[in-house]
Amino acid sequence: MKVSGKHFRTIWRKPDDERVVQLIDQRFLPYRFVIEEARTVDEMATAIREMHVRGAGLIGASAGYGMYLAALQAGSRDSFEKDMSRAAAQLRATRPTAVNLSWAIERQLQKIAAGKTADEKIELARRMADLIADRDAEHCRMIGQHGLALIRKIAETKRNKAVNVLTHCNAGWLAFVDYGSATAPIYAGHDSGLPLHVWVTETRPRNQGSKLTAWELGEHSVPHTVIADSAAGHLMQRGEVDLVIVGTDRTTYTGDVANKIGTYLKALAAKANDVPFYVALPSSSIDWKMRDGLKEIPIEQRDAKEITNADGWFDGQHIAVRIAPDESPAANYGFDVTPRHLVTGLITERGVCEANEKSICSAFPECAP
Ligand code: MRU
């Protein structure tokens, strides 16, 4: 998508150096646009763990490139296979909730195993990393087309008034390789001339909504308003939200949706106010082994400082200030699970399906357990 009018993806191989992967370092947005270079699997693991890159699809693509960098480092050493399984374990341990991470690593391990020589394995890893990134972008583009049909239907009932979409966190192009999942229908609608307005929840504690989603919508000239997380229910009660579209970090094949903390409350408010609640996801975010999202999906717990402090930019400096009393302990749950019965539909690259086993498995029969 666009940054100052120029097209960017979130991650790519450096054009004049095959051994380097470039990525947008999101820690500095929206105030500085920084491109980082990763040369080793250690650097890529740090980028994922420390959230230079984040969001389900991008975590998967970064892991794919991390495995490619690991293959380059392993070179023609006798310990190639051992090095690659160490790299896989290292990348797997970076973040627990987004299933795209292990999905991409598994794809790489399978592909690399088919190579006979080290050079062949490196070449296969390079091609697979590119394929994972290209597919992610293409699937998000298709999600945009399927989601656009839903928005169009709502627009028909609004007599040229803007369709109000509410989204949470950042399931935008910054969370994927391009387009985003929840934002893809929004960009498609905006580009086709539909009047749209987006409510962007700030998404405490890391503020992916106010820092990232607001920034990318602004770069694309999409009308939007940042709101406190707790304002979503109030707006729904007043008829100010036509539909909710969120992303997901892992959805079970039965339709339970893990997403950024606070998503469940939005789904409850949407149900209580008859607002359609959609989840946009590429199939790489479906966990084909997990049946019960509430019991089985691992929920990341992060540093309590993200809760006790707030951070931002002051006079060109990134600063953090303490909000909570020094003595107060804090707990920082990164994600929650929205049970399937609160989800109106899943917008996938193959179309919209219901959040249940039958519908998901008939959309992706080749993956069904
Ligand atoms: O902790 P993050 O920023 O990596 O969390 C991921 C998210 O941005 C959200 O949960 C998002 O809605 C789903 S990722 C497409």
Side-chain angles (χ1 to χ4, degrees):
M1 299 299 284
K2 290 188 230 158
V3 180
S4 305
K6 188 174 162 206
H7 178 258
F8 272 92
R9 281 184 164 191
T10 49
I11 193 165
W12 60 93
R13 272 188 300 111
K14 192 172 183 179
D16 52 356
D17 189 346
E18 292 268 294
R19 305 180 73 88
V20 178
V21 175
Q22 295 183 302
L23 47 98
I24 298 173
D25 186 344
Q26 302 186 18
R27 290 171 304 165
F28 301 100
L29 290 171
Y31 293 100
R32 276 170 58 203
F33 184 71
V34 175
I35 292 175
E36 176 180 334
E37 298 199 335
R39 291 177 165 76
T40 63
V41 63
D42 282 4
E43 286 172 358
M44 192 59 92
T46 302
I48 300 172
R49 195 178 45 251
E50 309 291 330
M51 294 176 70
H52 312 187
V53 289
R54 33 120 338 257
L58 179 54
I59 289 174
S62 303
Y65 280 116
M67 291 294 282
Y68 163 60
L69 293 174
L72 283 171
Q73 285 175 272
S76 49
R77 285 208 286 266
D78 289 343
S79 56
F80 191 99
E81 306 296 340
K82 230 169 142 193
D83 290 359
M84 290 311 291
S85 30
R86 202 177 308 123
Q90 182 184 7
L91 288 165
R92 242 188 234 115
T94 51
R95 292 197 69 194
T97 303
V99 72
N100 303 60
L101 179 69
S102 51
W103 172 85
I105 294 167
E106 286 316 312
R107 294 195 78 186
Q108 278 288 28
L109 287 174
Q110 272 174 24
K111 197 53 159 186
I112 291 165
K116 293 198 180 61
T117 64
D119 282 348
E120 234 176 84
K121 287 173 189 287
I122 293 168
E123 177 57 13
L124 287 170
R126 182 185 66 77
R127 276 198 240 148
M128 179 50 81
D130 286 347
L131 183 72
I132 290 170
D134 289 346
R135 283 270 165 84
D136 183 84
E138 177 56 12
H139 286 174
C140 284
R141 192 191 65 74
M142 290 157 81
I143 286 168
Q145 294 310 307
H146 298 301
L148 173 59
L150 290 173
I151 297 181
R152 275 221 172 95
K153 263 202 193 126
I154 295 174
E156 279 163 20
T157 66
K158 295 222 42 167
R159 296 210 205 112
N160 285 333
K161 282 211 294 202
V163 176
N164 285 301
V165 184
L166 184 139
T167 191
H168 184 55
C169 197
N170 174 262
W173 71 271
L174 288 167
F176 289 86
V177 173
D178 211 343
Y179 302 98
S181 58
T183 54
I186 294 168
Y187 290 129
H190 177 78
D191 291 349
S192 70
L194 276 183
L196 274 168
H197 166 263
V198 185
W199 297 112
V200 178
T201 54
E202 58 181 348
T203 319
R204 275 284 291 155
R206 287 188 67 98
N207 295 303
Q208 288 96 328
S210 46
K211 287 181 177 171
L212 305 178
T213 305
W215 177 75
E216 55 166 273
L217 291 174
E219 289 291 319
H220 208 85
S221 306
V222 178
H224 62 280
T225 307
V226 179
I227 53 169
D229 293 318
S230 41
H234 167 72
L235 290 168
M236 290 187 211
Q237 274 179 329
R238 295 167 66 117
E240 302 278 348
V241 180
D242 294 303
L243 80 162
V244 179
I245 311 180
V246 296
T248 175
D249 300 86
R250 184 188 302 240
T251 287
T252 62
Y253 69 89
T254 56
D256 294 334
V257 172
N259 194 45
K260 185 53 60 190
I261 193 79
T263 303
Y264 172 49
L265 287 177
K266 276 141 200 89
L268 284 172
K271 186 69 155 187
N273 291 284
D274 272 335
V275 174
F277 182 93
Y278 285 97
V279 179
L281 73 164
S283 51
S284 52
S285 297
I286 301 175
D287 190 320
W288 298 100
K289 294 198 186 92
M290 282 189 186
R291 156 166 281 283
D292 185 330
L294 273 173
K295 287 203 186 118
E296 294 175 88
I297 298 179
I299 300 295
E300 179 176 19
Q301 289 197 47
R302 300 184 55 81
D303 192 336
K305 278 213 183 82
E306 292 180 356
I307 301 287
T308 55
N309 293 8
D311 76 298
W313 294 78
F314 180 73
D315 266 357
Q317 299 284 336
H318 184 249
I319 57 159
V321 291
R322 178 94 191 180
I323 308 170
D326 282 342
E327 316 72 44
S328 294
N332 188 2
Y333 301 96
F335 300 89
D336 59 26
V337 176
T338 298
R340 59 198 87 129
H341 68 268
L342 296 176
V343 178
T344 310
L346 302 173
I347 312 171
T348 76
E349 71 267 22
R350 294 204 185 153
V352 180
C353 59
E354 289 168 26
N356 60 50
E357 179 173 351
K358 192 165 164 237
S359 187
I360 296 172
C361 292
S362 61
F364 298 94
E366 74 282 19
C367 304

